[in-house]
């Protein structure tokens, strides 16, 4: 059956898509969650074995039936419950445990995939979804993980013929520093996650390190200035008023600005002319709860920081 990976918190937006990717990539996948949701129902329909409720007894039965090689858990799990029964069980039975980044890196290495990372304080989910949309529009295979529902695919997918993996690369818990992307988009930088980054400088330093780990990075001039970075062979700085932004037919200036970065990243990765990509991105249907049109003139958005609300 191959390596058995057990995903604790399988209904979450980070863990769930990764479980689906691992399942599609040929790993033996199972998992658990505290509560039932539409997403756990969906994963069951995809042939993933999971149970609702997290106890030593439940995971013990799973391990007895099909020995678990690796338990992957969300960052929130040990914070919420340091003596989580599944983590305690893993320790007692000598089972490898890790957060999702280690698991994803293993899949990337095994399947020889190069990462296109969508990073930044705001806009990560939308830029990841735009990457998926453009690759589909260009009929290019792509594996990916995105942290919200999209109307044109699953939240996570493994495509055997793909060369690239598009990933929403989050700075929370310094998660993004675990990766070495081929191409990175940094959509914006505003000090956030103060519980992890105690000072503004600490936050900026983390982004500078992430950029140094990326073979190629694209960002706007205002963010390059904020991070005190200059253009180089590995760093492309796009002017804040770049003329391509106004050619993009999408609602919301922040969406057009995100789309501009995605166009540059896809053009760099696939060698496709930017104007071809402008046409394709202009029909991007949007992402759930990210400036999502409900009816003409009425939008839903879950913006939760002053900068996002202002945008």
């Amino acid at each position: 059956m191959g390596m058995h990976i057990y995903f604790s918190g399988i209904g979450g937006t980070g863990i769930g898509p990764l479980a689906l990717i691992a399942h599609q990539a040929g790993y033996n996948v199972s998992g658990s969650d505290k509560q039932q949701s539409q997403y756990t129902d969906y994963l069951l329909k995809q042939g993933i074995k999971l149970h609702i409720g997290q106890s030593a007894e439940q995971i013990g039965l799973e391990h007895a039936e099909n020995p678990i090689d690796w338990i992957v858990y969300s960052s929130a799990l040990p914070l919420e419950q340091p003596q989580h029964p599944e983590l305690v069980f893993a320790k007692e039975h000598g089972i490898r445990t890790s957060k999702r980044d280690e698991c994803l890196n293993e899949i990337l290495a095994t399947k020889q995939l190069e990462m296109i990372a969508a990073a930044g304080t705001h806009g990560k989910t939308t830029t990841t979804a735009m990457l998926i949309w453009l690759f589909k529009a260009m009929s290019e295979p792509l594996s990916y993980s995105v942290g919200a529902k999209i109307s044109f695919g699953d939240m996570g997918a493994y495509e055997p013929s793909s060369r690239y993996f598009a990933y929403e690369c989050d700075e929370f818990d310094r998660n993004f520093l675990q990766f070495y992307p081929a191409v990175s988009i940094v959509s914006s930088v505003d000090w956030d996650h103060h519980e992890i980054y105690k000072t503004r400088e600490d936050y900026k330093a983390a982004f500078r390190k992430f950029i140094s780990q990326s073979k190629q990075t694209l960002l706007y001039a205002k963010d390059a200035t904020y991070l005190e970075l200059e253009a180089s062979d590995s760093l492309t700085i796009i002017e804040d008023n770049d003329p391509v932004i106004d050619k993009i037919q999408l609602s919301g200036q922040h969406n057009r600005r995100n789309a501009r970065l995605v166009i540059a990243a896809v053009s760099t990765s696939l060698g496709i002319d930017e104007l071809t990509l402008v046409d394709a991105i202009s029909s991007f249907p949007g992402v759930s709860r990210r400036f999502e049109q409900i009816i003409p003139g009425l939008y839903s958005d879950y913006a939760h920081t002053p900068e996002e609300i202002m945008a």
Side-chain angles (χ1 to χ4, degrees), residues 94-155:
I95 300 168
R96 174 185 180 184
T97 62
S98 77
K99 294 180 194 173
R100 59 197 165 110
D101 45 28
E102 209 173 299
C103 179
L104 178 54
N105 271 326
E106 177 123 347
I107 294 169
L108 294 178
T110 307
K111 302 297 180 184
Q112 297 180 305
L113 293 166
E114 290 191 87
M115 181 181 281
I116 304 179
T121 315
H122 322 291
K124 289 183 289 290
T125 303
T126 304
T127 49
T128 310
M130 285 174 173
L131 281 165
I132 300 160
W133 177 259
L134 274 190
F135 267 77
K136 282 185 186 286
M138 296 298 115
S139 303
E140 289 283 345
L142 180 72
S143 296
Y144 65 84
S145 175
V146 61
K149 286 181 184 161
I150 52 174
S151 59
F152 45 91
D154 280 325
M155 285 169 71

Side-chain angles (χ1 to χ4, degrees), residues 54-279:
Q54 297 180 314
S55 66
E57 190 184 8
Q58 286 268 34
I59 196 170
L61 290 169
E62 177 65 31
H63 186 57
E65 193 181 309
N66 180 7
I68 297 165
D69 298 301
W70 190 356
I71 295 176
V72 177
Y73 60 90
S74 73
S75 301
L77 197 79
L79 297 173
E80 285 173 11
Q81 204 178 342
Q83 289 297 304
H84 192 281
E86 293 183 336
L87 295 183
V88 171
F89 181 88
K91 201 171 179 183
E92 287 169 353
H93 292 80
I95 300 168
R96 174 185 180 184
T97 62
S98 77
K99 294 180 194 173
R100 59 197 165 110
D101 45 28
E102 209 173 299
C103 179
L104 178 54
N105 271 326
E106 177 123 347
I107 294 169
L108 294 178
T110 307
K111 302 297 180 184
Q112 297 180 305
L113 293 166
E114 290 191 87
M115 181 181 281
I116 304 179
T121 315
H122 322 291
K124 289 183 289 290
T125 303
T126 304
T127 49
T128 310
M130 285 174 173
L131 281 165
I132 300 160
W133 177 259
L134 274 190
F135 267 77
K136 282 185 186 286
M138 296 298 115
S139 303
E140 289 283 345
L142 180 72
S143 296
Y144 65 84
S145 175
V146 61
K149 286 181 184 161
I150 52 174
S151 59
F152 45 91
D154 280 325
M155 285 169 71
Y158 170 70
E159 189 58 60
S161 59
S162 60
R163 177 185 156 196
Y164 288 110
F165 185 93
Y167 185 56
E168 183 172 338
C169 224
D170 196 350
E171 75 277 15
F172 177 73
D173 204 24
R174 301 184 189 268
N175 171 268
F176 68 162
L177 297 181
Q178 309 307 315
F179 301 105
Y180 293 81
V183 181
S184 290
I185 295 166
V186 176
S187 52
S188 65
V189 189
D190 282 307
W191 185 26
D192 197 6
H193 301 302
H194 304 165
E195 74 282 23
I196 289 153
Y197 304 98
K198 301 298 183 194
T199 66
R200 191 181 297 275
E201 192 44 51
D202 190 17
Y203 191 75
K204 285 158 78 168
F207 269 91
R208 283 194 288 266
K209 185 166 188 332
F210 173 71
I211 288 166
S212 77
Q213 291 175 192
S214 306
K215 281 187 201 151
Q216 194 72 41
T217 304
L218 304 130
L219 82 172
Y220 279 109
K222 97 177 161 58
D223 295 311
T225 302
Y226 183 70
L227 294 172
E228 299 157 61
L229 294 171
E230 290 180 7
S232 67
D233 289 348
S234 61
L235 184 67
T236 303
I237 296 173
I238 294 176
E239 289 307 316
D240 297 322
N241 57 355
D242 185 273
V244 176
I245 297 167
D246 295 330
K247 294 189 170 116
I248 299 162
Q249 303 296 305
L250 287 174
S251 297
Q253 178 71 359
H254 64 297
N255 277 334
R256 294 191 288 277
R257 287 173 61 79
N258 288 338
R260 172 68 188 103
L261 290 171
V262 172
I263 285 166
V266 174
S267 180
T268 299
S269 306
L270 300 179
I272 295 171
D273 174 65
E274 285 196 346
L275 288 177
T276 305
L277 298 171
V278 167
D279 286 345

